[in-house]
Amino acid sequence: MPPRGSGRRRTGQQKPSSVQDRFRAAQEEKERVEAEALQKAEEANKKEAELLKEEGNALMKTEDFVGAIEKYTMALSLDSRNHVLYSNRSAANLKVLRTADAVRDAEMCTTISPTWVKGWVRYGTALVSDKQSVMALSAFNQGLKLEPTNVDLKNGLAHAEPIAKAFREKQETIAAEKRAGEEAQKKKDAEAILNAEPVIGIDLGTTYSCC
C-alpha cells in the first residue's frame, strides 16, 4: 500500500500551464518584441532627422533658404514632434516671404512645446510679418510670462505695438465710416418716403360686381 499522501502535489511544484496561459505569454512576448523594434526605428529616425536638421542649418548660413526648407521638411517626415524643426522651418519660410507658412510652423512649434520661449519669439515675429500684429502682441506677451526678461520678446513687443495700434485705429475709422454711411442711407430713405407722392387708391367694388 503506498504511503499516505504520496499522491499529493509536492510543495513548490508548478501547475501545468493551460493553452490560454501559453497563448497569453506568446502574445505578450510578441508585443514586447514589436515595441522594441518600434523604439529602435524611432530612435533611428530621430538620428536621421537630426542630421537633416544640421544640413538645413548649414544651408541657412549660405542663404539657400529653399534648400533649407526642403531639409527641414524631410526631417519632419521622420520626427514630426520635433518643435525645433518647426521653428527652423518657420525662420526659413520668413526669409522667402512665405509668411503664412511661417506662421503655421511657428504655431505648431508652440503647440508641441508651449514652454519653449524661442518658439514664442518665432511665432510673434511670423505674425507681424503676416500682418497679424494684434495676434503678435499676444504671442510676445505669452512668451514674456515664461521669461519676463527675454530681450528678443521685449524687442518684438516694442516693434509690434505701434503697428497694432495703427491697425486698430484704421479698423475703428473704417467702422465709423461704415456706420456714418449707414445712418446717411437711412436718413435718405426716410426722406424719400416722406417726400413720395400719395398713391390714389381705386375702389374695386365699384368696378366689379359679385354674382
Side-chain angles (χ1 to χ4, degrees):
M1 183 175 182
R4 183 180 297 178
S6 61
R8 296 179 181 176
R9 189 181 306 279
R10 295 179 182 178
T11 304
Q13 184 177 355
Q14 294 182 353
K15 181 181 178 180
S17 61
S18 65
V19 173
Q20 186 177 7
D21 290 337
R22 291 196 297 273
F23 175 79
R24 185 182 300 111
Q27 185 66 23
E28 290 175 352
E29 177 63 15
K30 178 183 177 183
E31 291 174 357
R32 184 188 66 79
V33 172
E34 289 177 348
E36 288 182 355
L38 179 61
Q39 183 178 359
K40 290 180 180 179
E42 289 178 348
E43 291 174 355
N45 285 342
K46 287 183 178 181
K47 288 181 179 179
E48 181 64 22
E50 187 65 23
L51 293 175
L52 288 166
K53 185 190 81 172
E54 294 303 322
E55 292 177 10
N57 292 347
L59 291 170
M60 285 287 287
K61 292 178 181 178
T62 62
E63 300 187 357
D64 182 359
F65 305 121
V66 174
I69 291 171
E70 292 175 355
K71 291 294 182 180
Y72 296 139
T73 301
M74 291 170 63
L76 282 166
S77 69
L78 297 171
D79 188 7
S80 62
R81 300 294 296 176
N82 190 321
H83 62 283
V84 177
L85 288 172
Y86 282 106
S87 175
N88 290 5
R89 193 171 69 173
S90 176
N93 275 317
L94 272 188
K95 291 293 186 179
V96 293
L97 303 180
R98 297 177 183 173
T99 57
D101 291 338
V103 169
R104 281 191 290 269
D105 280 342
E107 183 178 18
M108 181 61 73
C109 173
T110 58
T111 299
I112 295 173
S113 184
T115 59
W116 193 54
V117 174
K118 189 174 181 179
W120 293 105
V121 176
R122 193 76 76 200
Y123 191 26
T125 303
L127 286 166
V128 171
S129 298
D130 199 45
K131 302 185 186 303
Q132 300 186 57
S133 54
V134 175
M135 288 187 64
L137 296 181
S138 298
F140 289 129
N141 281 319
Q142 182 62 39
L144 286 169
K145 290 179 182 178
L146 299 170
E147 191 176 313
T149 59
N150 187 282
V151 175
D152 291 332
L153 288 169
K154 286 184 175 182
N155 290 340
L157 184 64
H159 175 67
E161 282 177 336
I163 301 175
K165 181 180 178 182
F167 174 79
R168 289 191 179 109
E169 291 175 349
K170 182 178 179 180
Q171 293 300 108
E172 290 172 358
T173 299
I174 293 173
E177 291 175 350
K178 182 179 179 181
R179 287 193 299 269
E182 291 173 349
E183 290 298 324
Q185 186 62 44
K186 287 180 181 178
K187 184 177 180 180
K188 184 177 179 181
D189 292 343
E191 291 176 350
I193 292 173
L194 291 174
N195 295 330
E197 295 182 2
V199 178
I200 300 174
I202 300 175
D203 185 359
L204 297 178
T206 61
T207 307
Y208 300 95
S209 59
C210 297
C211 297

